[in-house]
Each structure stands twice: as structure tokens, then as C-alpha cells.
């Protein structure tokens, strides 16, 4: 396997270490600029209303400089009053002006202050709410799926798994790009920004409590490091990794991956099959697309099928999973079906056709 030097790996890790944080899906909110513009407009409206209220009863106010209050003095008084500065050079002297200050201008002053400090209060409230959501999310997250890399492979993997019944709330995406995580959260998935080769980043994704881990990075050496780190944190999770070069697949398996998919070779084989038989290529492409046409699903053997052969079932059985072995439907070792067996079958895609996850640990040599 062609691996870069340790210095290159260290530099790559340092670049992705800048920030790593969790982002949960959230509803679309109004743009901050529009929110600020609204607040400023309301504050200006309160200021103008206060100034005109003062000017309407300007005879009830006294200006220490010239004794009279004009429109400019009214705006000046409104400004220093609403901002609680209160220089005292303009004061209400009549009973009507003082009553107006008590019952009208004072509430406007409170409203003005609320508008000014509303942004700060909203930020603090939002941070508290986000922290509460994050703690609640972490405490409830169990047996979830962690997807490292949200490129074409990662997106397709998530769509396939979710088509079999997995809820989006049970998927956590890890990627070093904040834009990629924004796209993931926009689709309804939780996201963690950071380098997945670092254990603290995977811990933020609660990988130690995950049921399955999908590694779909852009580089094979990164996939090896992520697999090693993930397997160290979670010994029982099912890890599936994708590599570009077929020669790197054994190294992924030695690193702890339960299954390794060679993306380039798989695409090449599908191309070759399509050349030999376009119809066969279409069928294979249909099989690997969950939720449409024909689906390949894994299910347990029901009691009515125990003691029967794979060809005697109602479904089209392709293979039988017995223990850690995958046997063909025509393998003499299958004999008759056992209650502990699992069947890989081809069925017509329906909302009820779900893949039953295999939670049993996979034996390793």
C-alpha cells in the first residue's frame, strides 16, 4: 500500500484539528441581517414616537438653556431618556407631562431597552437551548450509525441504509469540512466537524456506542487510520469501509474492518457486466438501489421454513448465512434451513421489505 510519510499525515491531521464540534439539524430561521434590520426599525420607531409625544406637550417641559422645547429638543430628550442617560437639562414641569413620562414614556423606555439587548438575550437563549439539545441528543443516542465522509459514497450509503428503515435521527456524519456538515444537517442528519482519524472527534460522534460505522473517505490511508481509531473505541461495532485501490483492501481488514468495498473495482465490474449484457447490468444496478424495483434483503428464518430447503421457501433465496459463513443456495453444506440461519433474498421493493440488522458480533481470526 502506498502511504504518505508520517510528516504528511501529521500535517493533514493538524489542518483538520482547527475545530471539531457537533451540529444538530435545525429549522430554517430568518437571516441575521434581516433580524437586525427589524430590531433597528423598531428601535427607531419607538424613538420617533417618544419624540412626537414630547413635542405634542412641549409646553409642559422646561429647557434650561432657553426655556422652550422645539422639535429638535424633543428628539434630544427622547434620545437621552430612552437610553437612560438623563442629563437633566430638559425636564417635565407640568402634571400632564409628568404623568405622560410615568405611563407612556417609561414603558417605551423599557421596550427600547428590550429591543437593544434582545439580540444578546437571543444569543444567550439560543446557546442554552443548543447546549440542552446537544446533551439530550447525546444521552438518547444508542446503536446508531456513524458515517465518516459525506461525499458521493457516503451519501449513497446513508440513502441505502435509510431506505431499509433507519431513521435520520440515528445517523451521525463526520467530516472535516463545515460546508459538508451544513449540507448533512440540512438533510436531517447530525454532524460532527473534525478529522475522524482523531479519537476525540469520533468520541463526539458517540462512536463507542454505535452499532455500525461506514467509512467513505476520499483517501485510502485516511480510511486505514479511521478504521484503526474506530475499532479501538468500539470493539463490537460493524465497520464497513470503502477503498479506491484493491491492493489496500487487506490492510483495511487487518485494521479492523468487517467488510471492505473496492469502489473502483466494483464500478469497473458493473461496467464490464453492462458491456457483456446491458440487461444484466441494469438488474445489478437495480439490486443495489434500495427502495425501488428489486431489492436484496437479509432476514431471519421463520419457524415455518425450518427443515425445508432454500428453494422451498416463498422468497428467491440467494445465500444462507450460517454462523460466520455465507453459503450459496445450492451449496450441499446448507442441507435444510435452521432457525438460527439468516437468508439473503431478492424481493420486490415494498415499504414492508426491510433489512433486519445483524447485531451478532462477527468472528475474527
Amino acid at each position: 500500500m502506498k502511504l504518505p510519510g508520517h510528516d504528511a499525515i501529521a500535517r493533514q491531521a493538524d489542518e483538520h484539528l482547527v475545530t471539531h464540534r457537533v451540529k444538530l439539524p435545525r429549522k430554517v430561521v430568518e437571516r441575521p441581517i434581516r433580524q437586525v434590520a427589524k430590531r433597528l426599525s423598531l428601535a427607531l420607531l419607538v424613538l420617533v414616537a417618544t419624540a412626537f409625544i414630547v413635542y405634542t406637550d412641549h409646553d409642559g417641559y422646561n429647557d434650561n438653556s432657553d426655556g422652550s422645547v422645539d422639535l429638535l429638543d424633543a428628539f434630544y430628550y427622547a434620545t437621552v431618556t430612552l437610553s437612560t442617560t438623563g442629563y437633566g437639562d430638559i425636564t417635565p414641569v407640568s402634571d400632564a407631562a409628568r404623568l405622560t413620562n410615568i405611563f407612556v414614556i417609561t414603558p417605551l423606555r423599557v421596550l427600547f431597552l428590550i429591543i437593544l439587548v434582545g439580540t444578546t438575550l437571543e444569543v444567550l437563549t439560543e446557546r442554552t437551548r443548543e447546549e440542552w439539545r446537544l446533551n439530550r441528543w447525546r444521552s438518547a443516542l444508542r446503536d446508531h450509525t456513524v458515517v465518516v465522509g459525506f461525499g458521493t459514497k457516503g451519501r449513497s450509503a446513508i440513502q441505502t441504509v435509510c431506505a431499509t428503515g433507519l431513521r435520520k435521527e440515528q445517523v451521525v456524519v463526520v467530516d472535516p469540512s463545515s460546508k459538508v456538515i451544513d449540507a448533512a444537517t440540512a438533510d436531517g442528519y447530525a454532524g460532527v466537524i473534525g478529522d475522524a482519524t482523531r479519537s476525540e472527534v469520533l468520541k463526539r460522534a458517540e462512536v463507542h456506542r454505535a452499532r455500525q460505522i461506514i467509512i467513505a473517505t476520499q483517501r485510502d490511508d485516511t480510511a486505514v487510520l479511521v478504521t484503526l481509531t474506530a475499532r479501538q473505541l468500539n470493539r463490537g461495532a460493524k465497520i464497513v469501509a470503502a477503498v479506491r485501490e484493491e491492493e489496500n483492501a487487506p490492510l483495511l481488514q487487518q485494521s479492523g474492518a468487517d467488510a471492505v468495498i473496492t469502489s473502483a473495482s466494483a464500478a469497473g465490474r458493473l461496467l464490464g457486466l453492462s458491456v457483456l449484457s446491458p440487461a444484466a447490468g441494469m438488474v445489478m444496478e437495480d439490486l443495489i438501489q434500495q427502495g425501488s424495483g428489486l431489492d436484496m434483503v437479509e432476514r431471519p428464518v421463520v419457524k415455518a421454513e425450518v427443515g425445508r430447503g432454500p428453494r422451498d421457501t416463498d422468497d428467491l433465496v440467494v445465500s444462507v448465512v450460517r454462523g460466520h459463513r455465507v453459503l450459496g443456495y445450492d451449496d450441499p453444506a446448507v442441507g435444510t434451513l435452521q432457525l438460527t440461519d439468516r437468508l439473503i433474498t431478492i424481493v420486490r421493493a415494498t415499504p414492508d421489505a426491510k433489512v433486519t440488522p445483524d447485531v451478532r458480533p462477527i468472528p475474527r481470526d
Side-chain angles (χ1 to χ4, degrees):
M1 175 179 178
K2 299 178 182 178
L3 289 174
H6 295 290
D7 295 339
I9 297 178
R11 286 197 301 270
Q12 182 184 7
D14 291 339
E15 290 176 358
H16 297 325
L17 185 60
V18 179
T19 56
H20 47 269
R21 54 193 177 92
V22 179
K23 296 188 69 175
L24 299 179
R26 56 187 303 173
K27 297 180 180 179
V28 179
V29 296
E30 195 175 16
R31 293 182 178 180
I33 296 179
R34 186 173 298 177
Q35 291 181 355
V36 173
K38 282 186 176 182
R39 294 181 186 278
L40 290 177
S41 300
L42 289 174
L44 183 61
L45 180 62
V46 172
L47 177 64
V48 172
T50 304
F52 276 101
I53 290 174
V54 173
Y55 183 71
T56 301
D57 191 24
H58 62 277
D59 293 336
Y61 293 84
N62 179 54
D63 186 355
N64 294 334
S65 61
D66 55 8
S68 62
V69 175
D70 55 14
L71 184 60
L72 178 60
D73 294 332
F75 273 96
Y76 167 76
Y77 177 79
T79 302
V80 298
T81 299
L82 295 180
S83 62
T84 67
T85 304
Y87 293 116
D89 47 352
I90 299 178
T91 57
V93 293
S94 67
D95 293 340
R98 292 178 177 178
L99 289 174
T100 302
N101 271 263
I102 294 174
F103 295 107
V104 179
I105 295 181
T106 297
L108 289 176
R109 181 187 303 115
V110 174
L111 177 61
F112 187 81
L113 293 177
I114 290 176
I115 294 173
L116 289 183
V117 302
T119 302
T120 303
L121 292 176
E122 185 176 357
V123 169
L124 293 176
T125 304
E126 182 64 24
R127 288 181 179 177
T128 303
R129 186 187 300 113
E130 191 68 20
E131 187 68 22
W132 179 81
R133 288 184 63 207
L134 186 58
N135 292 334
R136 181 183 177 187
W137 171 76
R138 283 176 173 165
S139 62
L141 197 62
R142 295 288 190 282
D143 296 331
H144 58 290
T145 299
V146 176
V147 181
V148 180
F150 198 63
T152 303
K153 293 180 291 186
R155 289 173 185 265
S156 300
I158 294 178
Q159 291 172 359
T160 300
V161 175
C162 289
T164 63
L166 183 69
R167 294 179 292 109
K168 289 186 176 182
E169 294 80 5
Q170 289 295 107
V171 177
V172 181
V173 178
V174 182
D175 199 279
S177 173
S178 59
K179 293 183 179 179
V180 171
I181 294 300
D182 289 340
T185 55
D187 290 341
Y189 309 110
V192 177
I193 305 173
D195 181 8
T197 62
R198 306 186 68 87
S199 58
E200 59 265 29
V201 175
L202 292 181
K203 287 179 181 179
R204 287 178 177 268
E206 303 295 323
V207 75
H208 53 284
R209 297 190 294 189
R211 171 180 293 180
Q212 49 200 11
I213 303 169
I214 301 174
I215 301 175
T217 58
Q218 300 297 325
R219 296 167 56 96
D220 289 358
D221 56 334
T222 305
V224 172
L225 294 175
V226 173
T227 303
L228 285 170
T229 307
R231 181 55 71 195
Q232 182 182 16
L233 294 175
N234 192 329
R235 297 292 182 181
K238 181 183 294 184
I239 299 180
V240 179
V243 293
R244 291 178 177 269
E245 303 297 333
E246 194 168 0
E247 63 181 9
N248 297 332
L251 185 55
L252 263 295
Q253 293 175 339
Q254 295 175 9
S255 301
D258 298 310
V260 180
I261 306 300
T262 307
S263 56
S265 298
R269 294 188 185 98
L270 186 58
L271 286 174
L273 179 61
S274 300
V275 170
L276 297 175
S277 173
M282 292 175 60
V283 172
M284 287 300 300
E285 189 174 2
D286 184 20
L287 285 175
I288 62 178
Q289 290 182 353
Q290 290 286 334
S292 63
L294 297 175
D295 280 352
M296 184 174 293
V297 301
E298 179 180 343
R299 66 170 179 84
V301 173
V302 298
K303 291 183 178 180
E305 297 171 336
V306 176
R308 301 166 61 180
R311 296 183 180 181
D312 298 330
T313 62
D314 295 334
D315 295 336
L316 179 58
V317 178
V318 178
S319 300
V320 177
V321 182
R322 180 168 294 169
H324 65 280
R325 296 183 301 166
V326 180
L327 305 174
Y329 72 95
D330 57 348
D331 194 323
V334 174
T336 58
L337 296 177
Q338 303 174 9
L339 189 60
T340 56
D341 291 341
R342 297 178 68 85
L343 302 179
I344 298 178
T345 65
I346 296 177
V347 298
R348 176 64 61 181
T350 61
D352 297 331
K354 303 297 183 183
V355 176
T356 304
D358 188 358
V359 297
R360 298 171 298 173
I362 296 179
R364 292 183 177 78
D365 296 334

